[in-house]
Amino acid sequence: MEEPTPSTSMKAVNLFKWAKGSQWDKVVDRYRLNPKTHTMITRSGDTALHIAVLDRKEDVVEVLVRLIDEAAAKKPTEKGNVLESDDSEVEGEGRTPKDHPLWLANERGNTPLHLAASIGNARMCNCIARKHKDLVGARNNVSETPFFLAALHGKKDAFLSLHNILPVNGKGDEYCRNKNGETILHCAIAGEYFDLANQITDLYGEILTSSFDEEGRTPLHLLASKPALFKSGSHLGFFNRIIYHCMSVKKLGGIKEDATSNDAKKYPINYQTCMNLWNMLTIQCLQFQSIDKRGNSEKGQSTSENQGTSRNPLKDLEDGRSNSSQNKGFIKFLYIAMMVVLGIGAREIKKIREMKEKHEWAVQIMEKLLECASTYEFGYSKGTQPETKQEDDITTAPTEENEEKGQKDQKADGKRVFTFNIKDKGFVFDVDFSKGEVSIARDEGEKQKGQKETPILIAAKNGITEMVEAILDSSPVTIHDRNSSDKNIVMLTAENRQPKVYELLLKKEILTETMCDTVDNEGNNVLHLVAMTPKHQSWIIPGAAALQMQWEIKWFKFVRNSLPTNYFIRYNKEGKTAEEIFGESHQELASKGGEWLNTISNSCSVVATLVAGVSFATIATTPGGIKEDSSKPTFERHPGYLLYAVSSLIALVFSVTSMVTFLAILTARRKIEDFERRLPRKLLLGLTCLFISIGAMLVCFCGAHFFLLKDVLEGNAFTVYALACLPVTIFAVAQFPFYFLLLWSTFQTVPQRHFTL
């Protein structure tokens, strides 16, 4: 390329000013006047065409590309300076020379086609690459093609446009990888672009579904590492769970179905919910109308059929099932309509719908990936780079670490050991100079490093029951997969506290003696791993260390009860049983749980003491005084007085009980086994009595105060007292989630992994 002169620098400055100010008419005129105008005009190496693409000026891009093609098609002949046209690149197979202006890239190596694919503009992609198909495979500094970038950013329209432009010899995966070996399917799943991933699986099939990146991961590996994309990894409240089950989500369609769905009308967010309800109502009406028509048509045929033959019971059963499904659909429609009317409406329902779409589509993509994998090839292979494979070269210079290792071996055994690297595969050569013998062996460290967990092991660790069940159904042999630590699916499930997956394995009767008798590299069996403290917080109970300890004990006993009794007393390589490991590893958590119980008991006992004092004072007070002649309360027969007397007694009794219970917690022993039942039940009893006493105290206050203002308030008493109790009600509502969590965790047999407070 020629060095820039002052005149060309001034032209570049003018082009940059015009492009920055959106004066694209002047830019186009300059391109018409001077064919050499297409040059870098920014510090980052962008041309005017780069800026036009980023500014989404489709008409300007089409004009600039046409002018650049016309200028590039004219080149000087060998005899003179006369320019003549060369249409070979237009009429040929789309082969474009590397010195073509459209190959001009910025400092990041991105051509205008890279930018058009990144922003997802299919029209600009088609304009640039239609006559220059080789540009689809142009790689930037990180070895990404425009075709790859379209998938990386989830731009489905641009991706399909470039796919149709790809050369005949480029339909393979050479355009679909980056320097790390990641394919377009890896990127689509990592970015959660399931619609695009569905198109890729339809177009490329087994070429990409079983492909590995350089870290040995397939697309199924990536999907297994995202538990939030599945229903088993998501957690909803009660009402949101009802809405979730009432939602109906369409499955991902093929290319033809997707093209027709793009023509559907899109509405603003405030109208979209109304249109969804209208569509649901229309579908329900059409379904009921079809049932009615079918019933009328069957009536006319029933007389003739019933004369000679009886009705088919299987047909009656199918009709009953169809009617039942229609009724369920109508109930779902009414519930969604009620949620919209009550104001839960657009945003919340939209979030739940998007969540369910991800769940349904992730399962659909998972099923496609399993179908395309004809054999279970989710092994430990490494992926390939996008560049042309080169022959393995042996690096003969050993590293410092290997030299030290060789010297030590020479002193110990009279041998010298060299470690060579053949790309990513390590081999150890043992050379015995005295005997002249050479032996070769695979480096165990490299072998362990290269061994990757299979998708079923990753899914089991993350609690994705859908994937675990699907893989076991498609390939039962995967039950014997192990990771680099020699742990199988049962051990990983138990170690990572995944109750749903563990119950699935119990249901499928996979916990055989062979599986349970397996030990890892350190001699730990399933029960040893359960006894260890997890590296991350498994039971998400914020701040409640005592409940964390309770879940740990319950999980340990749940797994232990599912195993044969002869597994209880097994020793690992350190000579420890599971019981010993559990006691040692959970001492810190038990001490934290004791401190947390002390804090809760001290705070609640103060409140219980105040309520008890107020309740005792109210019992000694009689509203309206006492009759002088009979020494009986003035309002003895009044309902308000009875309410006052009973509520004050209840408040006193339960407050004293709560106070005594919290004092018992403060003085109780704190052994590990006490955290399972004794301490949580005492805490539950104390909180229950405290809440009841607070409520009874409020009722007692309202009953006594009513006698003072009964003539003034009249019919407004209920409203006034409801407002008076509002602050305490808000406090109670804020504390009830924790109370119900404590109630549920105390009586739950199998612990659940996640909770929402």
Side-chain angles (χ1 to χ4, degrees), residues 658-710:
S658 175
M659 181 175 58
V660 173
T661 304
F662 288 122
L663 291 176
I665 293 176
L666 291 172
T667 58
R669 68 176 187 177
R670 305 295 169 80
K671 290 187 176 181
I672 291 179
E673 58 269 16
D674 295 330
F675 284 92
E676 182 185 5
R677 293 185 180 180
R678 185 175 300 175
L679 292 176
R681 290 186 178 183
K682 285 183 179 180
L683 180 61
L684 181 62
L685 176 61
L687 290 176
T688 303
C689 294
L690 180 60
F691 287 145
I692 293 175
S693 63
I694 293 175
M697 183 186 66
L698 291 176
V699 173
C700 177
F701 163 76
C702 295
H705 195 268
F706 177 75
F707 292 107
L708 300 177
L709 301 176
K710 63 179 180 178

Side-chain angles (χ1 to χ4, degrees), residues 111 113-114 117-118 135-139 144-151 162:
T111 64
L113 185 59
H114 282 89
S118 298
L135 286 174
V136 181
R139 297 190 177 275
E144 295 170 341
T145 64
F147 189 57
F148 182 88
L149 286 177
L162 293 176

